[in-house]
Amino acid sequence: MKKYLIIGILNLVWFYSFAQDKDLGDKEYVIVKDYKPVLAESNKISDTPDGDTANFEAGVIKAVKIKDEPIPKLYRSLAKLGLGNYNTYTGELFYNSSRSKNSQAGVHLKHYSGRPNLVEDRTGLFSQNVGEVYGKYFLDHATFNGKFGYDRDVFHYYGFYDTHNEMDSVIATKDDDTKQRFNNFNFSAGIKSNWVTGDHIDYDATLEYNGLNDLFEVKENNFMVRGGAGKKFDENYFGLNLDFDYFKKTEADFERTDEFSNLSRYIVNMNPYFKRNFDRIHLNVGFNFALEHNSGPVAAHFYPDVNVTVPIAENIVYVFADVTGRMVKKNYKTLTDENPFTIPSVKMEHNESHDIALDGGLKGNFSSKVSFLAMIKYTKMSNMVLFVNDTALYVSGSDSTVHGNMFNIVYDDGTVLNLHAEVSYRHSDKLSISFAYDYLNWEVELQEKAWHKPGSEARLMLRYNLKDKLQANVTFLTAGSQYGRAFTTDSIPQVVPVKLKGYYDFNLGLEYRYNKLLSFYFNLNNLFFSRYEQWYGYPSEKFNFLGGLTYSF
């Protein structure tokens, strides 16, 4: 109001000053009322929106259907045939049941034979035959499994100590005095739990039998019962493994009977253990307790069983350390599996005891494609089994000198230091490469050398798959030098270590898949044409090849 009053006074002053020059006469001005500003009428926008008056009906969106992965067709049978130099023949057949949720069963048959002339006066004729029937039956929380098999292996004692030109009979009572044949009947049956959750007791039990006989009337029966159970309590897992192993070997038909003939032997193993995963440590603590019965009283052995793994970089690099020990069974079958030229009259007085084994190292992954392992291991052994050329054979109770084409065993205490390194690369299913190297330093107490124990071993394996049509396998094997045992010709023979040079073995395998049913393969072995001796007096084959086809139906 004051504002408009001042404006009015100023107007009167201006008007009075203007009127000094012009006479306007007497006029009277009346102010009716005060000034009042008024806003014009307007429409307000409501805060509440009005509904859409148009009719609209939403369509129904159908659920998306994900197409199941196609189930690949399974072929019940696979047949493999091949032939090569040295009169080599091979045939193999697999026949399996069709896909089933309840059971699985199959049959496997194989034959492999050849006649390489590895020395001037002896043939290395061999034949390997395998037949087995196997199956599984699946329950909700357990699986039954069983197998019955028969193996028949024939070979000849073609190697001779110090000479390859002697035709003297090894055992004069045989039509073919260098022939040996092993028949092995084997059977196993067991059950194993397969609980999904960890709040149940895990268990497994297996019954096994091996029956072995040869051309020299040797028979060996081996019964094994194995079982175990374990359960998780909170974060701790407790378990127990129990094994019973009984075996008995009869004497050979030319053998002179003594206190070690027809000897019944057994091993009982007990292994309680505890496992737990801490934040950064995986721990397994237990022990192995073994009872061993041979010719004398029962002997007890106690071994530690401790394993620790700690991540340095999670899922990349781990450091590990183990302190373990174990009893290693040594019977006629295990010896002839390692060295088929073992003399049938071999006397087995002990099993091999790994009193303590210390190892540690690093393992992990450089990337998703490259993994590695680096380890150092030290093992102390008692009654270590070493193979030596036999130079005396009991025939009809009298001594007879032979040419060492069979191997006997000697026992010794010793140690081995093993430096091990390996690395592997895998690029999907197209390319894989692996390399491993072992440096082995053997020390023995009584023998001059650790007979037939190489000082190093290496292996390189490469596999390449070209569009599932052509597959190549390359294998490179090498072993360092080792020693065989020989004697001087003095009136009192002295032991002479004979150095067996190391070897390189290069193999190449090719397979061309014509279609899903038919493929062709070709294997080239010992491409360096090296003739080496894994066992003293037994030269190996040089270059050999084997080719054939496989067919699925």
Side-chain angles (χ1 to χ4, degrees):
M1 186 67 182
K2 292 180 179 180
K3 175 181 177 182
Y4 298 106
L5 180 60
I6 293 172
I7 293 174
I9 294 173
L10 290 176
N11 288 330
L12 289 175
V13 173
W14 175 81
F15 181 79
Y16 176 77
S17 298
F18 179 78
Q20 297 298 316
D21 297 330
K22 186 177 181 180
D23 188 8
L24 299 176
D26 294 333
K27 290 189 177 183
E28 184 178 356
Y29 294 88
V30 178
I31 298 174
V32 177
K33 61 179 179 179
D34 295 334
Y35 175 75
K36 183 178 181 181
V38 177
L39 293 176
E41 292 292 330
S42 63
N43 294 325
K44 301 174 71 174
I45 300 176
S46 173
D47 292 335
T48 304
D50 295 333
D52 193 344
T53 58
N55 294 326
F56 177 79
E57 183 176 351
V60 179
I61 300 176
K62 296 182 179 180
V64 176
K65 293 183 178 180
I66 300 176
K67 187 177 181 180
D68 294 335
E69 289 291 333
I71 300 176
K73 182 179 179 179
L74 295 181
Y75 298 95
R76 292 190 176 188
S77 305
L78 173 67
K80 182 176 182 180
L81 298 173
L83 56 87
N85 61 338
Y86 298 124
N87 296 320
T88 302
Y89 303 94
T90 186
E92 193 167 14
L93 174 67
F94 293 91
Y95 181 83
N96 292 279
S97 59
S98 59
R99 185 181 282 111
S100 172
K101 296 181 179 180
N102 299 321
S103 62
Q104 179 185 7
V107 177
H108 175 216
L109 303 173
K110 182 180 179 180
H111 170 80
Y112 180 59
S113 63
R115 187 186 290 271
N117 295 317
L118 301 172
V119 294
E120 295 179 4
D121 56 354
R122 289 290 187 270
T123 177
L125 174 67
F126 67 89
S127 173
Q128 299 173 355
N129 301 275
V130 176
E132 58 182 354
V133 179
Y134 50 86
K136 292 182 178 180
Y137 186 77
F138 307 106
L139 301 176
D140 291 339
H141 303 294
T143 301
F144 286 98
N145 61 82
K147 187 186 76 168
F148 176 79
Y150 169 67
D151 301 330
R152 184 181 186 273
D153 294 337
V154 177
F155 62 92
H156 286 70
Y157 300 105
Y158 66 86
F160 286 86
Y161 158 68
D162 202 34
T163 177
H164 292 158
N165 299 315
E166 296 288 344
M167 296 296 292
D168 297 27
S169 294
V170 177
I171 300 172
T173 59
K174 303 298 179 185
D175 295 334
D176 186 348
D177 52 29
T178 65
K179 183 179 179 180
Q180 173 63 296
R181 181 197 66 221
F182 292 123
N183 292 313
N184 176 233
F185 297 89
N186 53 85
F187 166 81
S188 67
I191 183 173
K192 184 176 182 179
S193 63
N194 52 8
W195 297 102
V196 177
T197 60
D199 55 347
H200 298 85
I201 296 178
D202 302 317
Y203 61 87
D204 67 272
T206 304
L207 174 65
E208 299 179 44
Y209 168 77
N210 268 301
L212 182 69
N213 64 74
D214 69 4
L215 278 181
F216 300 95
E217 304 301 327
V218 174
K219 296 180 178 63
E220 183 179 69
N221 292 306
N222 187 184
F223 296 91
M224 294 153 282
V225 179
R226 313 187 189 283
K231 191 178 188 305
K232 189 174 183 180
F233 296 91
D234 296 328
E235 299 299 322
N236 306 310
Y237 190 92
F238 295 90
L240 175 67
N241 295 318
L242 293 172
D243 298 342
F244 176 74
D245 213 324
Y246 170 87
F247 39 98
K248 179 180 180 180
K249 172 186 176 293
T250 64
E251 74 272 10
D253 56 1
F254 60 86
E255 181 181 350
R256 186 171 63 185
T257 304
D258 60 18
E259 61 178 323
F260 300 108
S261 300
N262 299 317
L263 188 62
S264 296
R265 307 165 61 203
Y266 65 79
I267 301 173
V268 178
N269 280 302
M270 180 177 66
N271 169 225
Y273 61 91
F274 155 79
K275 294 192 298 185
R276 177 164 180 170
N277 290 323
F278 297 91
D279 291 339
R280 294 182 56 83
I281 298 176
H282 174 72
L283 180 65
N284 185 108
V285 178
F287 65 87
N288 292 314
F289 179 73
L291 296 175
E292 173 193 23
H293 174 66
N294 295 293
S295 60
V298 175
H301 304 266
F302 181 86
Y303 308 100
D305 184 20
V306 180
N307 315 98
V308 181
T309 303
V310 181
I312 297 178
E314 193 69 37
N315 298 323
I316 299 177
V317 180
Y318 295 84
V319 60
F320 65 91
D322 305 319
V323 182
T324 59
R326 63 191 179 106
M327 175 68 65
V328 181
K329 178 176 68 177
K330 293 295 180 180
N331 63 352
Y332 192 48
K333 185 177 188 304
T334 62
L335 293 180
T336 54
D337 283 347
E338 182 178 357
N339 183 353
F341 310 112
T342 301
I343 193 169
S345 59
V346 61
K347 303 293 187 181
M348 290 164 289
E349 306 173 26
H350 309 282
N351 296 292
E352 187 173 282
S353 174
H354 293 194
D355 299 330
I356 190 168
L358 309 172
D359 67 72
L362 298 173
K363 61 181 179 180
N365 305 282
F366 290 123
S367 67
S368 60
K369 299 178 181 179
V370 182
S371 60
F372 70 93
L373 170 64
M375 178 184 69
I376 180 171
K377 184 174 183 178
Y378 174 85
T379 306
K380 183 180 183 300
M381 292 168 284
S382 299
N383 299 319
M384 179 170 54
V385 172
L386 302 172
F387 290 96
V388 294
N389 295 77
D390 189 73
T391 54
L393 184 67
Y394 293 118
V395 179
S396 300
S398 61
D399 291 344
S400 174
T401 300
V402 296
H403 298 285
N405 63 336
M406 294 183 181
F407 287 84
N408 214 324
I409 62 172
V410 293
Y411 294 99
D412 204 346
D413 298 339
T415 62
V416 58
L417 177 65
N418 181 10
L419 303 181
H420 175 82
E422 65 179 81
V423 61
S424 62
Y425 170 83
R426 181 177 179 84
H427 182 69
S428 66
D429 293 330
K430 185 176 181 180
L431 176 65
S432 63
I433 304 173
S434 63
F435 173 77
Y437 175 79
D438 287 274
Y439 167 79
L440 302 162
N441 183 29
W442 300 88
E443 298 287 346
V444 289
E445 294 185 4
L446 301 177
Q447 301 294 315
E448 284 75 3
K449 298 288 183 180
W451 309 117
H452 293 100
K453 298 291 187 181
S456 64
E457 295 177 339
R459 52 200 175 276
L460 171 66
M461 291 179 286
L462 182 149
R463 183 172 183 174
Y464 181 75
N465 188 344
L466 180 61
K467 297 181 180 179
D468 288 330
K469 295 296 289 185
L470 181 64
Q471 183 172 291
N473 295 284
V474 177
T475 305
F476 178 75
L477 305 173
T478 180
S481 59
Q482 56 183 326
Y483 290 88
R485 190 184 73 171
F487 289 91
T488 65
T489 57
D490 301 336
S491 57
I492 302 179
Q494 302 296 317
V495 173
V496 177
V498 178
K499 188 174 183 178
L500 308 179
K501 65 179 182 180
Y503 65 86
Y504 300 91
D505 198 337
F506 181 64
N507 307 313
L508 173 64
L510 299 172
E511 181 181 3
Y512 172 70
R513 296 175 180 173
Y514 180 75
N515 53 38
K516 292 183 178 181
L517 302 180
L518 179 64
S519 65
F520 302 91
Y521 70 92
F522 198 69
N523 297 329
L524 305 174
N525 301 316
N526 199 356
L527 287 169
F528 289 154
F529 288 79
S530 59
R531 173 157 286 181
Y532 54 87
E533 293 176 298
Q534 182 180 3
W535 305 107
Y536 180 39
Y538 280 86
S540 66
E541 298 177 359
K542 288 188 177 181
F543 170 76
N544 61 90
F545 64 86
L546 180 68
L549 58 87
T550 63
Y551 184 73
S552 300
F553 56 96

